[in-house]
Amino acid sequence: ADLLTGPATGPDLLPDLDWLERTLGERNPIGKTGGQGRVRLVTLVTPCNPTGANVPQGLVDRAVNLCEAYGAWLFLDHAYVP
């Protein structure tokens, strides 16, 4: 199994969901199940390390929608919630 680490964007180093969408589109074609190289799990951690920025709800919602559309699980780790 491959472990992919997606890039971060902006000064807060938030997850690059455009990259996630491209990666899911390439590895998890809609309508096709199974197959080697599929993304099975996406993990988002908030707050982001090392900036401490929280992933905005809009980005979380987009990640949920992408994972649902491409058949991947989403694990959202709220490592620290004040």
Side-chain angles (χ1 to χ4, degrees):
D2 295 333
L3 175 62
L4 305 175
T5 302
T9 61
D12 290 332
L13 301 177
L14 294 173
D16 182 348
L17 295 188
D18 291 334
W19 173 88
L20 177 62
E21 185 170 15
R22 284 191 308 274
T23 301
L24 288 172
E26 293 167 3
R27 292 177 167 253
N28 295 29
I30 292 177
K32 183 178 178 186
T33 58
Q36 190 170 358
R38 288 183 59 81
V39 175
R40 291 179 174 82
L41 176 70
V42 173
T43 302
L44 289 180
V45 179
T46 187
C48 298
N49 190 5
T51 64
N54 287 305
V55 177
Q57 187 62 48
L59 285 181
V60 173
D61 292 342
R62 183 172 175 208
V64 167
N65 293 334
L66 287 171
C67 288
E68 182 177 32
Y70 290 100
W73 288 89
L74 175 63
F75 178 80
L76 182 58
D77 181 358
H78 289 279
Y80 171 76
V81 179

